Every structure is written in structure tokens, then in C-alpha cells.
Amino acid sequence: MILDYLYYKLYRATLTGSLKDIPQYITPIYLGGLISANFMIVNAFLAKIGIGTFLFKDPKQGAWFTAVMIILAMLYYRKNKYTAVLNKYSHESAKKRKRGNAIVAVYVVLSFLLIFSVAFFKPGKL
């Protein structure tokens, strides 16, 4: 599953940072935050082009949504699940590991850059 692989890669990235002592707690926070940011970006883009309405007009709504996504990620990736995910992907080859790292890095960078592209997007002007 794509989310499992993303969890694995974020977990591995957490091991190299300053929070390497608690990656099982930090990784679901990263994952839930990324997923909620992606959802809000897609929702904002659809609202700008006239398909639907923006659901997060009050910043508190966005904060609550992000908190719920983080809590759901923490509940989903409890001890048995996250160890199964780590075991599943820990045997990937060096070639697959480099490719996965590149894909996840592009995903994270695009997630960040899309915030600005949606913010500055003017419907009807290309």
C-alpha cells in the first residue's frame, strides 16, 4: 500500500534526525500532517476552479482536521502495524531504496510547492 511505503520512508528519515529516539510517535504526525495538507490543497484548488466550496474557511477547522488525521494515523500505525510495515519494506534492494527515496522526496517537495501554486492561481488565466 502506498501509505505504508510512505510511512516506512518517513520513519527511516526520522531515524536520521534529532527525533530518532521516538520515530514511532513522530512518523504518524508527519504522515497525518502531509495527508491533511494534501487534502486541503486539493480542496482549495477545486474551490478556486468552481468545483465545490472551500471547507476550511476558519483556521480552526483546518487545525482540527489536521489533528484528527494525525490521531487516525497514530491509531492506525500502532505497534503491530508499524512493525509489520517496517519488516515488509526493510529488505528492499539498494536500487529500490534510492528510487523510493527520490519518489518520496519529490512527493514531499511537491506537497509544499503546491501550497504556493494554489495560493497564486488565478482561474481563467494560464
Side-chain angles (χ1 to χ4, degrees), residues 59-77:
K60 290 180 184 176
Q61 291 173 321
W64 278 106
F65 178 74
T66 302
V68 167
M69 292 302 290
I70 290 170
I71 290 168
L72 289 174
M74 290 178 129
L75 291 173
Y76 184 73
Y77 288 105

Side-chain angles (χ1 to χ4, degrees), residues 34-47 54 56 110-118:
L34 264 175
I35 299 299
S36 66
N38 291 155
F39 182 84
M40 287 187 250
I41 291 166
V42 169
N43 179 245
F45 178 72
L46 292 174
F54 187 60
F56 306 101
L110 278 177
S111 294
F112 180 72
L113 291 177
L114 284 174
I115 294 170
F116 297 106
S117 65
V118 169

Side-chain angles (χ1 to χ4, degrees), residues 2 6 12 24 34-35 47 64 91 108 113:
I2 294 171
L6 183 58
R12 298 286 299 168
Q24 68 275 18
L34 264 175
I35 299 299
W64 278 106
H91 303 295
V108 171
L113 291 177

